[in-house]
Amino acid sequence: MDLSSKFQRIRMILSDVDGCLTDGSLIFDEQGNELKVFCARDGLGITIWKRKNGLVGFVTRRCTSVVQKRANELKIHELCQGVENKLTMLDGICKKYNLTPDQIAYVGDDLVDYDIMKAVGVAACPSDSVPEIIEIADYVCKTPGGRGAIRELIEQILKSRGEWNNFGF
């Protein structure tokens, strides 16, 4: 099946956080609080995707309040933190939202994302992902993680559907 046909089926985008929604840097202040830099373009892309009735979720091994805050700001549908094996939570998400794995796009950048990327309808990754992930990705963004890769994927999906218009802003 070609990529455009795969894009037509996507109803939910799941994304890793570090390396996809951020550049993967782990920054701590003097008090030990973790800081992250998120790209505003990704946030607007997620907002547009949701306005087109798309579902969004973040899936991460780490557990931080700053990710919770960003998820709340964007009013995403699903936040899964502290996930050791990302593939094991896929079935539950599918059941919860009445989806099949081929209706999900997953954005990952490193080896912990490998198994879930092999199981979904569209596997995507930022341009600066590890070689093993780039090798299995259906779509490799031109953009690195934390610099608008999620937005790029959303644009590509919506453009392939003829839906990249009428944003209502």
Side-chain angles (χ1 to χ4, degrees):
M1 180 181 303
D2 71 332
L3 186 57
S4 181
S5 297
K6 288 181 177 187
F7 279 167
Q8 304 312 308
R9 295 176 175 217
I10 300 304
R11 291 187 44 216
M12 181 175 223
I13 296 173
L14 296 175
S15 179
D16 179 33
V17 175
D18 295 321
C20 295
L21 287 160
T22 75
D23 69 3
S25 298
L26 299 178
I27 305 166
F28 298 91
D29 68 13
E30 294 280 331
Q31 290 75 40
N33 298 309
E34 187 170 351
L35 309 173
K36 294 187 182 294
V37 176
F38 294 94
C39 180
R41 288 185 185 145
D42 286 333
L44 183 57
I46 288 168
T47 298
I48 292 167
W49 176 252
K50 287 174 44 199
R51 286 184 176 196
K52 304 290 183 178
N53 297 313
L55 300 166
V56 180
F58 299 165
V59 182
T60 178
R61 289 181 63 155
R62 298 178 60 78
C63 201
T64 64
S65 60
V66 70
V67 171
Q68 179 73 55
K69 180 173 176 37
R70 185 64 172 151
N72 291 345
E73 280 179 346
L74 294 172
K75 297 179 176 72
I76 66 163
H77 302 92
E78 195 69 34
L79 175 60
C80 304
Q81 294 197 80
V83 178
E84 289 298 318
N85 182 333
K86 296 178 181 187
L87 181 59
T88 61
M89 39 81 28
L90 182 61
D91 188 51
I93 287 177
C94 285
K95 285 179 182 167
K96 181 176 181 178
Y97 295 99
N98 195 28
L99 299 171
T100 56
D102 68 324
Q103 294 175 303
I104 295 175
Y106 184 88
V107 184
D109 71 307
D110 213 333
L111 300 176
V112 297
D113 303 306
Y114 189 92
D115 290 340
I116 192 169
M117 289 176 72
K118 295 288 281 183
V120 296
V122 172
C125 68
S127 62
D128 57 344
S129 299
V130 300
E132 295 86 352
I133 294 300
I134 290 172
E135 184 178 309
I136 65 164
D138 298 302
Y139 183 80
V140 178
C141 298
K142 295 177 180 79
T143 313
R147 300 284 185 253
I150 307 304
R151 162 76 172 266
E152 180 184 331
L153 174 65
I154 290 167
E155 281 188 36
Q156 292 304 309
I157 293 171
L158 293 177
K159 284 178 179 177
S160 79
R161 297 176 179 181
E163 296 178 21
W164 186 250
N165 55 19
N166 301 323
F167 305 113
F169 295 112

